[in-house]
C-alpha cells in the first residue's frame, strides 16, 4: 500500500458530512446507455457488474441508488423512431444504467466522479471496448404518479422491483418551447397516459453539460437547452404492454411542442449473472 493510499484524510469526512443538503429526493440523475463492442458482451457485463457499478458509481458520495437495465434484440427491435438523434442506429445501446444523486449535491458528486474516473482509467480499470450512446447527468424536473400518493415514490424507483423501463427522449425547438413541453407533459399528457396503465410513475429530467475535464471517451451532452428525458417505470415486462407505448411520437408531434427522438424499452438485469447477454445480437 502506497503512502497516498494510506493517507485517506479520514477526518475530512466528518467535517464534510456536517454541512450541506442530505435529503432523499433525486435532484439529479446519471443516465448512461452503452453499447459493448461485438464480441465483448460477456466481458463488458462482468466488468460493469463486478467492478464499475460499485467503484465507478455506487461507492461515490451522494449517488444513493442505482439500477441496470438491458434490451435484448427483441426489445431493441421495438424502438422508434427509426431515425433517431439519440441512437444511430436506433437499436444501439443495449444496456442502460440509471442512478439517483441527492438534490443539491451535483457539484460535490461531479468533483468526485471526475477524480475517481481519472484514477480508474490510470489504473487500467476502465473497459475500453464499448461506446457511450447516450450518457448524461440530468436535473430532475418532475415526477408524475399514476396512483397519486399511493405506492412507491420516485426515490424508491431504482430499488423497487419494477418489471421494466421505457426511456423516452423528446427534443423541443428551444428553451421556451421546452418549458411549455414540460408543463404539457406534467399536467396533461402524462396523467392521461398513466391512467390504468402498467406504468406506476414517470420521472422527467433535463440534461446538464459534462465538465470540461470529463473522460475523452464520453462525448459532450447534446440538447442541454432543449431536451427532456422521461423514465417510465413499469410493473410489467414492456413486451406484454407495448401497445400502450406506441404513438408517443405522434402524440408529441400533434402538440406542436417537440419531437420524440427515442422510445426504448428495457428489462432489469439480474445482478451477478450473465442472463440476457446471449440475447443481445
Amino acid at each position: 500500500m502506497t503512502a497516498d493510499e494510506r493517507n485517506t484524510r479520514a477526518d475530512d469526512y466528518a467535517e464534510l458530512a456536517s454541512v450541506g443538503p442530505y435529503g432523499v429526493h433525486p435532484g439529479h440523475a446519471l443516465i448512461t446507455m452503452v453499447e459493448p463492442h461485438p464480441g465483448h458482451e460477456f466481458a463488458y457485463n462482468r466488468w460493469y457488474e463486478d467492478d464499475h457499478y460499485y467503484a465507478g458509481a455506487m461507492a461515490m458520495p451522494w449517488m444513493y441508488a442505482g439500477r441496470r437495465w438491458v434490451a435484448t434484440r427483441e426489445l431493441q427491435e421495438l424502438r422508434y423512431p427509426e431515425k433517431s438523434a439519440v441512437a444511430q442506429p436506433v437499436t444501439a445501446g443495449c444496456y442502460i444504467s440509471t442512478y439517483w444523486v441527492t438534490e443539491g449535491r451535483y457539484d460535490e458528486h461531479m468533483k468526485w466522479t471526475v477524480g475517481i474516473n481519472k484514477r480508474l482509467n490510470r489504473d487500467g480499470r476502465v473497459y475500453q471496448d464499448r461506446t457511450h450512446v447516450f450518457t448524461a447527468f440530468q436535473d430532475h424536473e418532475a415526477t408524475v404518479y399514476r396512483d397519486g400518493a399511493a405506492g412507491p415514490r420516485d426515490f424508491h424507483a431504482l430499488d423497487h422491483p419494477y418489471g421494466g423501463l421505457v426511456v423516452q427522449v423528446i427534443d423541443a425547438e428551444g428553451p421556451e418551447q421546452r418549458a411549455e413541453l414540460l408543463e404539457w407533459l406534467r399536467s396533461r399528457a402524462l396523467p392521461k397516459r398513466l391512467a390504468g396503465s402498467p406504468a406506476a410513475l414517470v420521472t422527467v429530467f433535463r440534461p446538464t453539460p459534462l465538465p470540461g475535464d470529463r473522460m475523452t471517451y464520453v462525448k459532450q451532452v447534446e440538447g442541454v437547452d432543449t431536451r427532456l428525458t422521461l423514465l417510465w417505470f413499469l410493473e410489467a415486462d414492456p413486451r406484454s404492454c407495448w401497445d400502450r407505448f406506441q404513438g408517443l411520437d405522434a402524440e408529441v408531434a400533434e402538440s406542436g411542442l417537440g419531437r420524440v427522438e427515442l422510445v426504448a424499452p428495457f428489462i432489469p438485469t439480474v445482478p451477478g449473472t450473465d442472463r440476457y447477454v446471449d440475447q443481445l445480437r
Side-chain angles (χ1 to χ4, degrees):
M1 182 179 292
T2 67
D4 285 343
E5 288 172 326
R6 287 193 297 270
N7 181 21
T8 59
R9 297 169 60 181
D11 290 345
D12 292 349
Y13 287 83
E15 182 179 349
L16 291 170
S18 68
V19 296
Y22 67 120
V24 300
H25 180 66
H28 322 276
L30 170 59
I31 302 170
T32 174
M33 188 166 73
V34 172
E35 180 74 12
H37 295 171
H40 292 266
E41 296 85 357
F42 282 93
Y44 167 77
N45 190 53
R46 291 274 44 86
W47 164 76
Y48 200 99
E49 285 205 344
D50 297 346
D51 189 11
H52 198 61
Y53 178 83
Y54 300 103
M58 295 305 298
M60 289 197 248
W62 308 113
M63 183 171 272
Y64 68 89
R67 193 146 193 204
R68 289 187 78 213
W69 313 80
V70 61
T72 62
R73 189 66 191 178
E74 183 182 5
L75 287 163
Q76 293 166 37
E77 290 174 351
L78 295 176
R79 295 180 182 181
Y80 66 91
E82 184 178 355
K83 293 183 178 180
S84 167
V86 175
Q88 301 91 35
V90 72
T91 53
C94 54
Y95 283 103
I96 196 165
S97 297
T98 51
Y99 301 97
W100 293 164
V101 176
T102 301
E103 184 173 30
R105 289 295 191 170
Y106 177 80
D107 291 340
E108 293 93 327
H109 177 77
M110 288 306 297
K111 289 286 188 183
W112 190 286
T113 192
V114 169
I116 199 65
N117 277 287
K118 286 182 177 180
R119 183 180 181 187
L120 291 169
N121 196 60
R122 183 185 68 235
D123 293 345
R125 288 174 63 180
V126 174
Y127 198 85
Q128 300 295 342
D129 290 296
R130 76 200 199 281
T131 298
H132 281 264
V133 176
F134 178 64
T135 293
F137 281 88
Q138 312 216 16
D139 287 344
H140 180 260
E141 287 285 0
T143 300
V144 181
Y145 296 97
R146 181 192 60 199
D147 302 324
R153 302 291 87 189
D154 51 13
F155 51 83
H156 299 126
L158 302 184
D159 296 307
H160 188 79
Y162 284 115
L165 176 76
V166 173
V167 179
Q168 181 183 8
V169 180
I170 309 175
D171 283 345
E173 292 298 326
E176 292 183 5
Q177 289 86 348
R178 184 171 69 177
E180 293 180 48
L181 171 64
L182 175 62
E183 182 54 34
W184 174 75
L185 287 167
R186 180 165 38 199
S187 62
R188 296 174 58 189
L190 295 182
K192 183 178 178 181
R193 279 270 178 176
L194 284 168
S197 83
L201 64 107
V202 183
T203 57
V204 185
F205 293 89
R206 59 176 174 85
T208 60
L210 288 170
D213 54 354
R214 70 191 185 281
M215 294 294 95
T216 56
Y217 51 77
V218 181
K219 65 181 181 180
Q220 187 53 271
V221 176
E222 299 173 347
V224 169
D225 296 321
T226 57
R227 181 164 285 177
L228 292 175
T229 304
L230 285 67
L231 303 179
W232 299 71
F233 290 90
L234 314 186
E235 295 173 326
D237 186 310
R239 288 166 290 195
S240 69
C241 55
W242 192 239
D243 58 318
R244 286 186 170 268
F245 292 93
Q246 294 175 353
L248 290 174
D249 52 347
E251 181 180 44
V252 172
E254 288 170 6
S255 75
L257 297 172
R259 62 191 180 280
V260 168
E261 294 291 357
L262 183 68
V263 179
F266 294 85
I267 54 177
T269 61
V270 181
T273 77
D274 289 319
R275 189 176 298 180
Y276 306 120
V277 177
D278 60 353
Q279 301 175 41
L280 302 179
R281 308 299 181 196

